Every structure is written in structure tokens, then in C-alpha cells.
């Protein structure tokens, strides 16, 4: 709808408001004929890959109660979360790429009526060949799922060489090569995806959505609908869980917005649980090959990591996800020479994206299980091996990531002591065992998705004459406790109780920009902005109170809702009195704070993925019991230590750690986004690719009965980069649990499981292989023929490098020209 039409609607509503004021009456929607809310339902494709030849909506439009039917022709402008993959439309324009790909939207008086009308839509499809796996994507470059892919159906290929890999392998006493597979899984938040779109009285578009990233949703809606940013407002409602699945714009949000524009009425769209499964954006399935050279003392001489990533049907965060499958391997253990090759394939399955840990749980699983193999071969205790090779503080890694504080060694020592590791490891007897693993994670990505020089987070404070303090922040509460952190930090600086601070968050109209609740960035980035804003407010108040009391400002203490002289605590003002004094002197009181991460040491193309202001660290011990007859794995107990920097709110911190353990156990033992081909006799075509069980009835996740006791240990080593020294805790503690569990299974029954989830069938297969004299493992056995690409050669710091690639200019000149309308990285 053109902006002119929006203004007409706005003027009409203002006239209604004016009549209500004149008459002094309470006027209801029926009296004023204000628009009632309508409801939408989306028609998904029954085909995994097909051309759309036509959509006949005539019967649906004639159905009583139907107000609108929209198709891809109504949303011609593509969008995407990354600038390099603007490959989605609110509704499919000319082709569907997975079962469930949105094709049409019906808007009606209620959901039931919209559902009835969906059955009346007639869509003419021409089925196309289906790509079901990365291996098929390699073997079948055409037809291309997207024509902007690096090659055929390989979406993105990256390669980096940090130092002379083969020289490092020659220095090794032993070289280990292993294959691992990490199955994809989904977020499974309690709250499903939903959005409401409406026109406000000024004719501007407003969207209330269950989103983790209101800023990026705002950006996508403006682009896809061709609207000026000032004409769009996005409000992020408190989420019933996100875990990454709500961290990018979704089709239903843009479709609802488009429908509201056309109808001038509020439109609500709620996805069913099955539709959420198909919307997905969850964990990428990743096949990994690790080749590691080590000396007899356990020190690593070189590591070569290759990953093959199943991306699904669209770009999503996929380019970043691919980089993340290799970027953070170097911040946990000392690796002097490192080669990383990553490939993401397009397949005709729901698109994968970021899930808790975004791209890093998969390679962490492979590396930690391989370290257990290395420790066994070298005759070393797995904990001692990790203590020997852990990164040191204040160092640069081979790929130019800056490690500041690192509490990893203390985390290892703590879980070893608290779990009684030395008394349990290899001593518990048949069927019982313990395993150990470690991890590292970001405290916020060092660069924004759309590179610019502006802050990544801003906070505004308003101080009113009654002593009220209001904090405005674009950060989004998704159950992780960011609202508590914001209130707590402001209150700490101003000497108030957290309940004294009112919050306005996640509203693109009212709050300064925060890039969103993802990458464990909020506590550090929003927190630093909040502290800066509060300190500026404190300084304003302090200067006025110092003059009022005739004492130096440096002697004033802000505590207990008062501002007083440290040398004479009875001499002071209440907080409301102090604010009045300050406003009298300075005028209306308001301050701002913002945060921009420090510049990364990496200067090579691709070096923008991985840098962080600091990193958190975890160590975990898992004890299991394994039934040899059934293959069933019971988790007896979990001990986990997390380097949190400083725990701002220990209760919230422990909750985040234990939530990570819960999610990790689901990924380790039961959760999988599995797909199957339907028989041709049922579908009339060659096996459509459908989700094996898109419901919470069959998709298994742990219940309270499956959750073992968890002993959480908080390791506090305040980091100067964080607010009051705090680091992240929302994602890092998930990473070590899966490999620790698999290592515990080996301690219990002597078999290696090189893929997750670990099902009883896999355990039994490994036990059978051992009994037959074959390698006592279950997992992938072959690395597919992934095309090689020339690596960017980046000398590490200790080889005289400066953070730049030696051959980047050559590669840039040789790169293929980008497809029109698609920006390449």
C-alpha cells in the first residue's frame, strides 16, 4: 500500500479520535466501526522442489469470511538476514524449495475460516529433481536450488591456511585422523512463532512479533515491502524461548505486515507446531574430518579441520554458520598451525540457521572426542592433556583471535575435584563410566551483520522529578534474563534497587538500536552501554549534589536510594531529592550510553567471523550407565564449571547453565531433524522429502524424568571487557556436554560413537563391531569428494604475519562476477 493511502487511513482514525474527545463518550470498536482483527493461515508446498505454474484463488476468495488471498506475486522484493543471501520472499514467487515452503496466505475472520479456504486454493506445480543431502549436492550441480551459489548446489566454500600445515604434521610424533557427524536438530521453544501487524492512528505500520532481533526484522520488512524505515515500528514481545530460531526475519512476519497494509486492518498470524518445524532455522547437520598432529606430551603441532554443512533450502545465516564451524577451534587449545576448509550445500529441506552455540557445537564435539582418543593412545589422563594444551591469557591465536582472560584451567580443576574424576575414571566397572570435555564461546560477535561504524548497542536513561528512572534499550527479553541484567546494572551504578528501574525494551520506535539477542552478546554489549549511561547520569547528579552539600563530588556515595558524603553518611539527600537538585541545575535529565566492540586483529576476508570482546570457557564431566543388552544410556550426573567472568545474578547464571545442559542432553541422546522420502505410489513423483516427525509427539526431547542432577560451578575471573567483569553464559555451557557424554560411553563399555544423537541402536552396533573384531566405533566412514578451493594464506602472529592474507588480492581478481541483484561477501 502506498504511503499516501496510509495517510488517508491515519486521517480517518484521527477524526474518530477527535469525535470521541468532543463528545466525552467512551466509544467502542463497534460504535466507531474500527477494524476488527483478522487471522491468517499460510499454504505450504507439498513438494520439496517444484516450479509454480499458477495459483487459482477464486474459490478461496469466494468462501464466506475470507478477506484476502496473497501469493508470491504480491511480494516481489527479496530479503534475507545476511547481505550476501537475500534469497527469500514472504511467499514463494516462482519456485518452491522444500516441503512447507510458503506459497499463499489466506486472511479471514478467524483461523478456522482461513484454514477452510486454504483447502480451496489450487496450485499448479511442475516437480523438479530433489537434492536430499550434501553428497547429492556435490554429485548433482543442476538444477541449481539457487543460482547465486559458489558452485552448482554448493552454497559457500571457504578455506584458510594459518601457517605451514604439513610442516606441523611432520613435527608430530603421531597424526590422528577421524570422521564425525553431528545430526541437525531444532530449537523447540515452548512458544510458537507469531506476529500481529496493524496500522497505527498515523497510518504507520506496526508489528508485534515473537522475535529475538527487532532491529533486523524492521530492516527486512522495510526492504521487502518498500517502506521508509520511519513508517515502520517493530515491537519484540517477551519470548517464550528463542534459542536462535527467532533471530532472523520469518516469512509469516512479513506476510502479516503485507496483509495489514492492503486491508488496513490488524492481521494475526500464528504458526502451528508443525509449521514451526518447517520454518526451522535450527542446527546444521555437519560431517567433519579432523586431522591432528601431536607430540608425545600431548601438545598439538597442527590441525586440519574440514566441514561439510547441510544448509537446507535457503541462505539464512548459513555463510556465517559455515565460518563458525571452524573459526573458534583455536581459542580453547594452543594450535600453532591451522587449516580450515568449510563447505555449505543447498538441499531441498527446511533451511538451517543458528541454534544455541551457532555452528560451534558440531566441531567442538569432533575435537573433544578426538582429544579423548589422543589421550588414550598417549597414555595421558584426558583432564591432564587439556590442562597441558589450554590457551594462555592475553594471547593471539593462529587465526588472529584475541584471547583475554581465560578461566579454562580452573574450570577443569574444579570439575575434576568436584566430580571425583580421578577416583571414577576407568574405575567404575563394566557399564559405568565418566567422560570429560571442554569448550569456549563468544561474548558477542565482534562485527555487526551489516558492517558499519555505529554502536552495536545503545541505552537511554530518563530521570524524572519523582525519582523514577526509566531505561530504554532495544535488547529483547527471550527468557534469558536480559531485562534483569539491564535493571540490575543501572540500579547498581545509581545505588537503587532493581525494582526502582522501569524498562522499555525491544521497540524500534521508542528504544535505541540493539542488534538483538543472539551470539551471547546482550550482557556484555547492552550491559556496557547501560553502565555508561548510568555513570553519566550519576555524574550529573553528583555534580549538583556536591554543590548543594558543599562536598567534593568524588566523596559522594550512591547507595540505598540515597546520595551521601562518604565521610559523613548522615549528610546527604534521598534519591528523589538528589534528582530534583540535579534537574534544577542541569535541566531535564537524560543520558545515553553505547557500546562498540574493539577492532579485531584479523584483517583477512572472513576474519570478521570469530572475533569477540572476550570468550567464555566451560569444562564438563558426565557420568553414565550403559546397558549392554539394550544399548540404553542413562545419564547419572553432570558436573559443569563455567568461566562467567563475574556472575551479575548467580540465580540467573545457574539457570542458564542448567538450561544449556538440558538442551545438550537432548541433542546428545535423542533430538534429530530427520527426513524421509515418501513412496512414489503415494505421491505420483519420485519420493518427496518430508520431515520424519514434525510434532512434539514423535520428536523426542528430554522430560523432567530424563534430567539428571547437575552440579554447577561458577568460576569467576572478572574480565575488563565486560560490565563489572561479566562474560556470557547463555550458550557456552551447552558445548562440552555432548562430547563428554560420548567419552563417558567409551569409559563405560569401550566403544566410540562418532555421531549424535547417540541412540541405543548405534551403541549396539558399535558393541557388535567390537565383538566381531572390527573397530569398536559407530559413525561415518567416508569423506565425500568435496571440491577443493584455494585457501587464503594468512601467516600466524609468530610467523611474522600482520593479520592479512598473502594471496587475497589474487583470489579477489580470480573470483567469479556476482549474480545481478545478489551481493557476494
Amino acid at each position: 500500500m502506498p504511503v499516501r493511502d496510509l495517510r488517508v487511513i491515519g486521517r480517518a482514525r484521527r477524526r474518530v479520535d477527535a469525535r470521541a474527545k468532543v463528545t466525552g463518550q467512551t466509544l467502542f470498536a463497534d460504535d466507531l466501526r474500527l477494524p476488527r482483527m483478522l487471522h491468517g493461515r499460510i499454504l505450504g508446498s507439498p513438494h520439496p522442489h517444484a516450479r509454480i505454474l499458477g495459483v487459482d484463488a477464486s474459490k478461496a476468495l469466494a468462501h464466506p469470511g475470507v478477506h484476502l488471498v496473497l501469493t508470491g506475486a504480491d511480494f516481489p522484493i527479496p530479503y534475507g538476514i545476511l547481505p550476501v543471501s537475500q534469497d527469500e520472499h514472504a511467499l514463494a514467487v516462482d519456485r518452491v524449495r522444500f516441503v512447507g515452503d510458503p506459497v499463499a496466505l489466506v486472511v479471514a475472520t478467524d483461523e478456522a475460516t482461513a484454514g477452510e479456504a486454504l483447502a480451496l486454493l489450487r496450485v499448479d506445480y511442475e516437480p523438479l529433481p530433489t537434492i536430499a543431502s550434501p553428497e547429492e549436492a556435490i554429485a548433482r550441480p543442476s538444477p541449481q536450488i539457487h543460482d547465486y551459489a559458489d558452485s552448482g548446489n554448493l552454497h559457500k566454500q571457504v578455506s584458510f591456511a594459518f601457517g605451514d600445515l604439513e610442516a606441523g604434521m611432520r613435527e608430530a610424533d603421531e597424526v590422528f585422523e577421524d570422521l564425525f557427524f553431528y545430526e541437525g536438530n531444532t530449537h523447540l521453544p515452548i512458544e510458537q512463532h507469531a506476529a500481529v501487524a496493524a496500522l497505527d492512528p498515523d497510518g504507520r505500520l506496526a508489528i508485534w512479533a515473537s522475535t529475538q532481533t527487532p532491529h533486523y526484522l524492521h530492516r527486512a520488512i522495510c526492504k521487502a515491502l518498500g517502506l521508509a524505515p520511519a513508517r515502520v515500528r517493530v515491537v519484540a514481545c517477551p519470548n517464550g524461548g528463542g534459542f536462535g530460531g527467532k533471530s532472523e526475519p520469518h516469512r509469516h512476519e512479513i506476510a502479516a505486515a503485507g496483509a495489514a497494509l492492503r486491508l488496513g486492518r490488524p492481521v494475526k498470524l500464528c504458526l502451528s507446531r508443525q509449521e514451526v518445524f518447517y520454518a526451522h532455522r535450527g542446527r546444521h547437520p555437519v560431517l567433519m574430518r579432523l586431522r591432528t598432529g601431536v607430540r608425545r606430551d600431548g601438545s598439538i603441532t597442527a590441525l586440519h579441520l574440514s566441514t561439510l554443512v547441510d544448509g537446507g533450502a535457503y541462505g539464512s545465516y548459513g555463510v556465517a554458520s559455515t565460518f563458525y564451524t571452524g573459526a573458534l577451534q583455536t581459542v580453547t587449545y594452543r594450535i600453532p598451525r591451522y587449516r580450515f576448509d568449510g563447505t555449505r550445500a543447498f538441499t531441498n529441506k527446511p533451511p538451517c540457521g543458528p541454534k544455541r552455540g551457532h555452528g560451534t557445537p558440531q566441531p567442538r564435539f569432533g575435537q573433544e572426542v578426538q582429544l579423548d582418543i589422543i589421550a588414550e593412545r598417549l597414555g595421558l589422563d584426558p583432564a591432564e592433556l587439556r590442562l597441558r594444551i589450554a590457551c594462555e591469557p592475553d594471547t593471539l591465536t593462529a587465526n588472529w583471535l584475541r584471547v583475554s582472560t581465560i578461566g579454562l584451567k580452573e574450570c577443569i580443576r574444579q570439575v575434576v575435584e568436584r566430580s571425583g574424576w580421578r577416583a571414577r575414571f576407568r574405575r567404575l566397572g563394566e557399564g559405568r563410566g565418566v567422560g570429560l570435555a571442554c569448550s569456549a564461546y563468544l561474548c558477542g560477535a565482534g562485527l555487526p551483520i551489516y558492517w558499519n561504524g555505529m554502536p552495536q548497542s545503545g541505552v537511554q536513561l530518563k530521570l524524572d522529578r519523582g525519582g523514577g528512572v526509566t531505561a530504554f534499550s532495544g535488547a529483547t527479553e527471550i527468557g534469558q534474563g536480559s531485562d534483569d541484567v539491564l535493571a540490575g546494572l543501572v540500579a547498581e551504578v545509581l545505588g537503587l534497587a532493581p525494582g526502582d528501574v522501569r524498562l522499555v525494551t525491544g521497540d524500534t520506535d521508542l528504544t535505541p538500536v540493539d542488534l538483538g539477542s543472539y551470539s551471547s552478546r546482550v550482557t556484555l554489549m547492552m550491559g556496557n552501554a547501560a553502565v555508561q549511561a548510568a555513570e553519566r547520569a550519576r555524574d550529573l547528579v553528583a555534580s549538583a549534589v556536591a554543590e548543594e552539600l558543599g562536598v567534593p563530588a568524588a566523596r559522594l556515595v550512591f547507595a540505598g536510594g540515597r546520595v551521601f558524603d562518604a565521610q559523613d553518611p548522615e549528610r546527604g539527600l534521598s534519591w528523589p531529592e538528589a534528582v530534583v537538585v540535579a534537574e534544577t541545575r542541569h535541566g531535564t535529565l537524560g543520558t545515553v550510553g553505547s557500546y562498540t566492540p574493539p577492532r579485531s586483529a584479523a584483517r583477512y576476508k572472513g576474519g570478521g567471523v570469530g572475533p569477540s570482546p572476550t570468550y567464555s570457557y566451560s569444562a564438563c564431566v558426565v557420568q553414565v550407565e550403559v546397558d549392554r543388552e539394550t544399548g540404553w544410556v542413562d545419564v547419572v550426573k553432570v558436573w559443569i564449571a563455567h568461566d562467567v567472568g563475574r556472575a551479575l545474578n548467580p540465580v540467573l547464571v545457574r539457570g542458564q547453565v542448567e538450561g544449556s545442559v538440558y538442551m545438550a542432553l537432548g541433542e546428545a541422546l535423542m533430538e534429530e531433524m530427520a527426513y524421509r522420502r515418501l513412496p512414489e505410489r503415494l505421491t505420483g513423483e519420485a519420493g518427496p522429502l518430508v520431515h520424519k516427525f514434525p510434532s512434539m509427539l514423535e520428536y523426542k526431547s528430554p522430560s523432567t524424568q530424563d534430567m539428571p542432577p547437575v552440579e554447577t560451578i561458577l568460576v569467576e575471573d572478572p574480565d575488563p571487557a565486560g560490565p563489572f567483569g561479566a562474560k556470557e553464559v547463555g550458550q557456552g555451557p551447552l558445548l562440552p556436554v555432548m562430547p563428554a557424554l560420548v567419552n563417558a560411553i567409551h569409559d563405560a563399555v569401550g566403544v566410540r560413537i562418532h555421531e549424535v544423537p547417540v541412540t541405543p541402536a548405534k551403541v549396539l552396533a558399535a558393541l557388535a563391531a567390537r565383538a566381531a573384531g572390527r573397530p569398536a566405533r559407530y559413525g561415518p566412514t567416508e569423506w565425500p569428494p568435496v571440491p577443493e578451493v584455494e585457501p587464503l594464506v594468512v601467516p600466524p602472529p609468530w610467523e611474522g604475519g600482520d593479520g592479512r592474507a598473502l594471496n587475497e588480492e589474487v583470489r579477489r581478481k580470480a573470483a567469479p562476477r556476482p549474480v545481478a541483484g545478489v551481493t557476494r561477501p
Side-chain angles (χ1 to χ4, degrees):
M1 179 178 289
V3 171
R4 180 185 65 256
D5 295 337
L6 301 184
R7 289 171 180 161
V8 169
I9 294 172
R11 284 195 295 272
R13 294 192 179 185
R14 283 194 293 275
R15 285 196 296 272
V16 167
D17 292 341
R19 183 161 67 89
K21 289 178 181 178
V22 169
T23 61
Q25 297 174 334
T26 301
L27 300 174
F28 298 95
D30 287 342
D31 301 324
L32 300 180
R33 298 179 183 176
L34 293 178
R36 291 179 177 274
M37 183 179 293
L38 300 174
H39 297 262
R41 289 288 307 275
I42 288 176
L43 178 70
S45 166
H47 303 278
H49 200 194
R51 290 190 181 91
I52 300 173
L53 302 180
V55 180
D56 182 358
S58 56
K59 291 184 179 179
L61 285 167
H63 189 65
V66 171
H67 288 256
L68 181 69
V69 175
L70 298 176
T71 66
D74 299 298
F75 298 95
I77 303 174
Y79 70 93
I81 184 63
L82 300 184
V84 295
S85 51
Q86 303 282 300
D87 59 0
E88 297 193 56
H89 295 79
L91 300 170
V93 175
D94 56 359
R95 188 155 38 136
V96 292
R97 294 173 169 88
F98 66 95
V99 170
D101 207 352
V103 174
L105 168 69
V106 173
V107 180
T109 53
D110 53 57
E111 273 193 319
T113 302
E116 293 166 0
L118 285 185
L120 301 176
L121 291 170
R122 294 292 177 264
V123 184
D124 190 11
Y125 296 100
E126 178 190 342
L128 297 170
T130 301
I131 304 295
S133 67
E135 291 80 3
E136 286 188 18
I138 294 169
R140 296 168 55 190
S142 64
Q144 283 187 289
I145 295 175
H146 291 284
D147 59 10
Y148 73 90
D150 276 2
S151 172
N153 281 307
L154 300 183
H155 173 202
K156 186 66 181 176
Q157 288 196 274
V158 298
S159 182
F160 300 94
F162 304 98
D164 188 338
L165 181 81
E166 293 310 316
M169 295 297 178
R170 288 192 296 271
E171 291 177 12
D173 294 312
E174 290 203 52
V175 175
F176 295 79
E177 185 166 336
D178 295 284
L179 294 177
F180 302 92
F181 178 66
Y182 200 109
E183 181 59 275
N185 48 70
T186 199
H187 315 85
L188 215 67
I190 293 174
E191 178 200 36
Q192 293 148 220
H193 298 260
V196 172
L199 300 181
D200 71 13
D202 293 321
R204 299 192 313 160
L205 178 66
I207 301 95
W208 293 262
S210 178
T211 177
Q212 297 175 231
T213 53
H215 169 70
Y216 289 125
L217 176 57
H218 179 270
R219 186 181 189 116
I221 287 173
C222 292
K223 180 179 189 294
L225 301 182
L227 296 174
R231 304 298 302 172
V232 177
R233 176 191 184 194
V234 174
V235 180
C237 304
N239 283 199
F243 314 114
K246 300 171 183 176
S247 62
E248 63 181 288
H250 279 273
R251 268 89 167 278
H252 69 281
E253 294 162 334
I254 296 173
L261 281 176
R262 285 163 175 79
L263 293 169
R265 294 179 65 170
V267 175
K268 182 177 182 179
L269 248 174
C270 298
L271 300 190
S272 68
R273 180 62 65 178
Q274 178 170 314
E275 288 171 328
V276 173
F277 271 98
Y278 280 110
H280 193 34
R281 316 302 162 124
R283 185 87 70 216
H284 285 78
V286 180
L287 179 66
M288 295 158 279
R289 179 175 63 186
L290 283 89
R291 182 168 168 250
T292 306
V294 296
R295 297 189 179 92
R296 291 188 181 89
D297 64 359
S299 59
I300 296 172
T301 61
L303 170 63
H304 186 183
L305 169 64
S306 302
T307 63
L308 180 58
V309 181
D310 186 341
Y314 288 92
S316 180
Y317 278 91
V319 171
S321 307
T322 305
F323 280 102
Y324 274 128
T325 61
L328 298 188
Q329 295 309 101
T330 58
V331 299
T332 314
Y333 307 114
R334 293 190 301 276
I335 301 172
R337 300 175 181 90
Y338 180 46
R339 169 82 183 256
F340 168 56
D341 298 297
T343 298
R344 185 181 193 260
F346 281 129
T347 58
N348 293 118
K349 293 185 282 191
C352 299
K355 186 189 174 188
R356 204 172 195 165
H358 191 190
T360 65
Q362 301 95 320
R364 178 58 51 192
F365 171 75
Q367 186 176 36
E368 293 295 323
V369 175
Q370 189 183 63
L371 282 175
D372 210 60
I373 295 169
I374 291 170
E376 184 177 41
R377 180 83 62 85
L378 299 179
L380 297 173
D381 181 286
E384 177 59 30
L385 170 63
R386 289 168 171 83
L387 285 169
R388 290 184 184 185
I389 63 176
C391 281
E392 297 295 333
D394 301 314
T395 55
L396 283 172
T397 68
N399 56 339
W400 292 88
L401 302 182
R402 185 176 286 110
V403 175
S404 55
T405 61
I406 172 170
L408 178 59
K409 290 184 180 180
E410 184 60 23
C411 287
I412 296 171
R413 294 187 188 103
Q414 288 281 349
V415 292
V416 164
E417 178 184 346
R418 300 281 279 273
S419 68
W421 168 262
R422 292 184 178 87
R424 296 173 189 265
F425 181 57
R426 297 178 181 163
R427 297 174 185 268
L428 290 177
E430 177 61 29
R432 302 170 66 208
V434 290
L436 182 145
C438 301
S439 69
Y441 197 64
L442 305 160
C443 294
L447 288 172
I449 292 173
Y450 290 82
W451 289 16
N452 59 69
M454 293 182 286
Q456 290 200 32
S457 186
V459 170
Q460 292 178 325
L461 294 185
K462 179 180 74 71
L463 280 59
D464 66 55
R465 298 175 186 180
V469 177
T470 305
F472 299 83
S473 168
T476 308
E477 175 62 67
I478 59 172
Q480 86 282 36
S482 64
D483 282 0
D484 296 83
V485 170
L486 175 58
L489 289 171
V490 172
E492 179 70 20
V493 174
L494 298 180
L496 305 173
D500 295 333
V501 181
R502 184 185 177 199
L503 305 179
V504 178
T505 60
D507 187 324
T508 60
D509 253 17
L510 303 180
T511 64
V513 168
D514 180 273
L515 298 186
S517 293
Y518 65 94
S519 291
S520 279
R521 57 179 300 283
V522 176
T523 291
L524 190 139
M525 297 191 181
M526 177 208 70
N528 277 321
V531 168
Q532 185 182 78
E535 287 176 343
R536 288 172 173 173
R538 183 187 62 193
D539 291 346
L540 284 173
V541 174
S543 65
V545 172
E547 183 178 305
E548 179 78 8
L549 299 180
V551 301
R555 258 179 32 203
L556 292 176
V557 175
F558 287 67
R562 296 180 65 241
V563 183
F564 56 87
D565 185 356
Q567 295 182 3
D568 182 6
E570 296 302 317
R571 191 177 183 203
L573 301 175
S574 69
W575 172 253
E577 291 170 338
V579 171
V580 168
V581 168
E583 185 170 343
T584 300
R585 181 180 180 190
H586 301 296
T588 301
L589 296 176
T591 60
V592 297
S594 59
Y595 179 77
T596 301
R599 187 180 181 189
S600 169
R603 300 288 187 268
Y604 57 89
K605 186 176 182 180
V609 177
S612 180
T614 187
Y615 300 90
S616 71
Y617 294 87
S618 303
C620 178
V621 170
V622 174
Q623 182 175 335
V624 301
E625 292 181 356
V626 183
D627 189 320
R628 280 183 168 274
E629 298 299 319
T630 64
W632 191 263
V633 178
D634 270 319
V635 180
V636 176
K637 188 170 181 178
V638 175
W639 296 263
I640 184 163
H642 183 66
D643 166 23
V644 70
R646 174 172 286 162
L648 300 179
N649 184 325
V651 173
L652 285 178
V653 170
R654 291 179 186 277
Q656 286 292 293
V657 172
E658 291 168 16
S660 288
V661 171
Y662 166 82
M663 184 168 281
L665 291 175
E667 296 194 17
L669 291 172
M670 58 190 78
E671 295 192 37
E672 56 181 338
M673 285 286 282
Y675 300 86
R676 60 194 172 102
R677 289 190 182 277
L678 292 177
E680 187 172 350
R681 60 183 173 79
L682 295 179
T683 62
E685 61 179 287
L689 199 62
V690 299
H691 197 295
K692 192 174 181 181
F693 26 59
S695 82
M696 291 182 70
L697 193 63
E698 291 88 8
Y699 182 95
K700 300 303 179 186
S701 65
S703 70
T704 55
Q705 299 298 311
D706 301 305
M707 189 66 180
V710 178
E711 187 170 335
T712 301
I713 306 140
L714 303 182
V715 173
E716 295 193 87
D717 179 15
D719 191 294
F724 297 104
K727 294 185 179 183
E728 76 86 32
V729 68
Q731 303 188 59
L734 175 141
L735 275 65
V737 179
M738 294 79 72
L741 183 145
V742 166
N743 292 339
I745 291 172
H746 178 260
D747 187 41
V749 292
V751 299
R752 297 279 181 190
I753 310 297
H754 283 191
E755 68 174 57
V756 291
V758 179
T759 61
K762 294 173 185 177
V763 174
L764 291 175
L767 288 169
R770 182 185 183 189
R774 300 192 302 273
R777 71 180 290 275
Y778 183 95
T781 57
E782 292 185 2
W783 181 256
V786 180
E788 292 189 4
V789 296
E790 180 189 357
L792 274 179
V793 178
V794 184
W798 41 87
E799 292 183 9
D802 61 359
R804 293 179 171 85
L806 299 180
N807 59 335
E808 189 164 333
E809 193 62 34
V810 174
R811 277 192 40 173
R812 186 181 294 117
K813 290 178 180 177
R817 296 181 63 186
V819 177
V822 177
T823 306
R824 287 189 179 273

